[in-house]
Amino acid sequence: MKRILFKLDILKEKMKKITISKSFFEKLAIIYVICPIIVFLFGWTRFYIALITTGLLVYATYKFIKKNVLNDDKIIYIDLRILFTIIVILGIWCWTSGIGGFFVQRWDHHARNAVFRDLITYDWPVIYPKTGNGLVYYFTFWMIPALIGKIAGWTVANIALLVWSILGVILVYLGLCFVLKATTSKKLIVLLIVFIIWSGLNVAGLGIADVLGYNNFTVSGAYGWADALGGYQYTPNTGLMKWVFNQTIVPWLLTTLFLLHKDDISVYAYIGVLMLPYGPLPFVGIFLIMVLWAFSKIRKNKIILILKKSFSIPNICSILAIVPIFYTFFKCNVAANGDAANSGFGLYVPLNAFNYKYFIVLLLFFILEFGIYSLLIWKKYKTDAMFWIVNALLILIPYFRLGSGRDFCMRVSIPELFILMVYVIGYLFDIKGEFSKNITAQFLIIVLAIASLGTIGDYGEDIKEIRAAGHFPVVADDVKTFEGHQVYNDPEVWYTINFLTPYPKEKAFYKYISK
């Protein structure tokens, strides 16, 4: 009798948990990523080009899933109540990020709402009738919600955008569960908390800048603490969601896929180029990681074998399907191609202007944004090449720019900072012995707690915005549309070079590829 009751108790425990297979997660993640790309291909390129490139992409995906996904029998068990709670919290996180315009939106949404509305309003490819300018931006993330908006209107499109974003963030979280083998309730909760609060010590940086007279200490996300000291910025996770979710969620998701397959060079290009349509700068970040990681493996494997593996069907087909299309498309962007003053690729601070002040600020920036984490956990990962690659890149990235601003620093670093977060969470998961006797772990928790003050401040800023506006939600939607705006020196919108291209029919993409 006792034996039967024991078995019944085990059965009840299993019924309280949901089983998620790694194979199911990866298939769903890939579908989530490639569907908007296919919508872009059929919406913006000639039918036969869309047919060929979609065929190549689908075939590459089929080969990737067949070889790398189908035979993977790894599973995780998550308590249903914990899973429901996690989904609700991630949903609230997305909602409070301003996505869809149902909470408080940051300044960047003025342009992003205009892009989204124009994707819904105008035929694809978007060429404005009054000015003849073309819309050129990494808007792939909006493709599915925009398609829904063409049928059902603006409000439904924004609901779809929020739901689409929530689904993406949930997939990122599940990907992290597989990367970190997070199955216990304690690990799932720690993962959730760190994922949301992940940030550098921006509040400390803001305090230092305030003491030096460069910034006023105020309630905010504080990731702009170095604005008056050089303009460097590594954006925390909540900040990325509030400002640039369109080039954050999918790069996070693809970074988890890379970490799951980092020892198989035959899928590097497949995973990497899928990031390009969602953001060329995060793509640069993951590309650099992949190249350096591949070089680190040459010592253990023959270079001919590595090269042979890299020329796989998923790699080659995905490159042929995506790179020519999106390279020529993004090349139309004025800020990226060097057609505007201080645009193109170069040093963020010219060598003749770089002085001791920039050196000191950079040193402080490195310590506060990632160095303190790396110093605390380096003993555990001192033989891990990926750990050193990520840190080396985080040191190098701020020296360069693409366009006239600091976007290169802020967005190329997205995969690097995400991977460092994985290392920090992994360290917390592997703490041995009593926590009360582990000084390093205690200090790491303190650092994370201080870092979380920036995220709390970000929501404090939302409350201030609501009070100042006197209504809720607070939507940043002044631009409305890019129709009627000039590419250069527009009197109303100064940043049009980031979104528009003049004389599109003279550009290679529009001449030979677009409809």
Side-chain angles (χ1 to χ4, degrees), residues 112 115-116 119 137 139-146 161 245-246:
R112 302 193 193 291
V115 169
F116 190 32
L119 288 172
Y137 188 62
F139 45 66
T140 306
F141 188 79
W142 282 293
M143 287 287 94
I144 301 292
L161 178 61
F245 62 92
N246 60 298

Side-chain angles (χ1 to χ4, degrees), residues 53-69:
T53 51
T54 298
L56 287 168
L57 185 56
V58 170
Y59 185 59
T61 300
Y62 164 74
K63 297 295 284 186
F64 169 75
I65 290 174
K66 184 180 179 182
K67 179 180 180 293
N68 301 86
V69 176

Side-chain angles (χ1 to χ4, degrees), residues 497-513:
I497 61 169
N498 292 319
F499 303 94
L500 300 176
T501 184
Y503 313 111
K505 293 299 181 182
E506 297 179 6
K507 309 292 195 305
F509 176 82
Y510 292 92
K511 269 186 180 181
Y512 308 113
I513 298 173

Side-chain angles (χ1 to χ4, degrees), residues 258 262-265 268 287-303 306 383-390 423:
F258 166 66
K262 69 181 189 301
D263 293 323
D264 186 1
I265 200 169
Y268 279 17
F287 174 79
L288 292 171
I289 292 171
M290 287 177 170
V291 169
L292 292 174
W293 178 246
F295 271 112
S296 75
K297 296 169 73 67
I298 288 176
R299 294 171 299 176
K300 298 177 182 178
N301 299 283
K302 293 180 180 179
I303 189 168
I306 290 176
T383 59
D384 189 327
M386 180 71 73
F387 175 75
W388 295 109
I389 287 168
V390 165
Y423 277 114

Side-chain angles (χ1 to χ4, degrees), residues 53-244:
T53 51
T54 298
L56 287 168
L57 185 56
V58 170
Y59 185 59
T61 300
Y62 164 74
K63 297 295 284 186
F64 169 75
I65 290 174
K66 184 180 179 182
K67 179 180 180 293
N68 301 86
V69 176
L70 286 181
N71 297 324
D72 195 329
D73 58 357
K74 295 183 181 69
I75 56 175
I76 56 173
Y77 298 97
I78 302 179
D79 186 283
L80 278 171
R81 292 166 299 182
I82 295 290
L83 181 61
F84 177 76
T85 303
I86 288 166
I87 290 172
V88 169
I89 292 172
L90 291 176
I92 293 171
W93 190 40
C94 290
W95 165 56
T96 56
S97 297
I99 299 170
F102 303 107
F103 194 70
V104 177
Q105 292 187 326
R106 291 293 186 258
W107 179 84
D108 261 22
H109 282 267
H110 289 298
R112 302 193 193 291
N113 283 328
V115 169
F116 190 32
R117 184 178 286 105
D118 287 347
L119 288 172
I120 294 168
T121 305
Y122 294 96
D123 292 335
W124 297 346
V126 177
I127 297 179
Y128 300 99
K130 290 182 183 178
T131 60
N133 296 325
L135 178 66
V136 178
Y137 188 62
Y138 22 96
F139 45 66
T140 306
F141 188 79
W142 282 293
M143 287 287 94
I144 301 292
L147 194 61
I148 293 170
K150 283 185 177 294
I151 300 167
W154 174 248
T155 301
V156 175
N158 276 286
I159 294 170
L161 178 61
L162 178 57
V163 172
W164 186 253
S165 301
I166 292 170
L167 176 59
V169 170
I170 291 170
L171 287 171
V172 174
Y173 181 86
L174 289 176
L176 287 169
C177 288
F178 282 105
V179 170
L180 290 160
K181 299 178 177 62
T183 54
T184 66
S185 297
K186 183 179 178 181
K187 287 183 177 181
L188 291 169
I189 293 168
V190 169
L191 172 57
L192 179 67
I193 292 171
V194 178
F195 181 35
I196 292 173
I197 69 164
W198 177 249
S199 169
L201 294 177
N202 296 311
V203 170
L206 187 62
I208 293 169
D210 185 38
V211 169
L212 296 176
Y214 289 102
N215 258 323
N216 292 322
F217 195 89
T218 182
V219 174
S220 69
Y223 33 95
W225 65 268
D227 285 354
L229 298 170
Y232 305 106
Q233 184 187 127
Y234 280 161
T235 315
N237 285 358
T238 294
L240 289 170
M241 289 291 290
K242 285 178 174 291
W243 289 84
V244 288

